[in-house]
Amino acid sequence: DPDNPDDPTASQQFKNNEKTLQTYVDDVVVPTYRELADAAILLADACNDLSSQEKVNNACQHWLDARRYWELSEAFLFGAAADYNIDPHIDSWPLDLGQLDAVLKAGDISARIEAGTAGYGLLGFHAVEYVIFMEGSTGDINNRVRNYSSISAAEAEFVAAVATDMRN
């Protein structure tokens, strides 16, 4: 009887469930989020300087790495990811291209992020992806990376701010 704390069967079942959950958290959840956090740090660092093709290539690889861990974590969205709406903050779709154009012209994404007024359609993986990968590209990463000379100063500032927000 699970409602009876004196029932030895219920007590043992609770202990087994607790051990299973602890193993799951320790062996799956925490390592996945740790890898995601580490990858997000590398992505943010890479997005702070897109001044050469090698640096854009590097940012794209770090985006793919971080995205992989995010996709893995979506299987459970455990803890803070569920409690603090991290999913819509870093993985909303579609990207709001009208607002993106306005932000690029105004150059105010950092201020919007700090004020909490950027809106999910301007943040996260898809916003970074839009700047560093070629639009509509598929296949091998070497055929998908955007040419560094086509990234405007406003886009570079935007992607650095968004990647830093993701890291945070």
Side-chain angles (χ1 to χ4, degrees), residues 49-58 146-149:
D49 182 2
L50 300 176
S51 63
S52 72
Q53 192 60 53
E54 181 181 353
K55 290 177 180 182
V56 174
N57 294 355
N58 188 41
R146 191 166 166 195
N147 186 296
Y148 86 97
S149 65

Side-chain angles (χ1 to χ4, degrees), residues 6-9 21 24-25 36 39 53 57 65 92 103 107 109 125-126 133 139 146 156 162:
D6 296 324
D7 179 355
T9 304
L21 183 58
Y24 170 68
V25 168
L36 173 59
Q53 192 60 53
N57 294 355
D65 295 342
S92 64
V103 164
I109 190 62
F125 279 106
H126 299 295
F133 287 98
R146 191 166 166 195
V162 172

Side-chain angles (χ1 to χ4, degrees), residues 14-34:
F14 177 80
K15 287 178 185 175
N16 290 344
N17 289 344
E18 185 178 40
K19 183 176 179 184
T20 300
L21 183 58
Q22 190 63 53
T23 299
Y24 170 68
V25 168
D26 291 345
D27 294 352
V28 177
V29 175
V30 171
T32 302
Y33 282 145
R34 184 178 298 118

Side-chain angles (χ1 to χ4, degrees), residues 36 39-40 42-44 46-47 56-71 90-91 93 123-133 141 144 159 162-163 166:
L36 173 59
L42 294 172
L43 175 61
C47 286
V56 174
N57 294 355
N58 188 41
C60 288
Q61 186 58 59
H62 287 303
W63 184 93
L64 291 168
D65 295 342
R67 184 69 185 178
R68 177 178 175 267
Y69 289 111
W70 173 252
E71 292 292 337
I90 69 170
D91 197 25
W93 182 257
L123 299 173
F125 279 106
H126 299 295
V128 173
E129 176 185 25
Y130 184 77
V131 172
I132 64 175
F133 287 98
I141 187 173
R144 296 169 46 200
V159 79
V162 172
M166 288 175 57

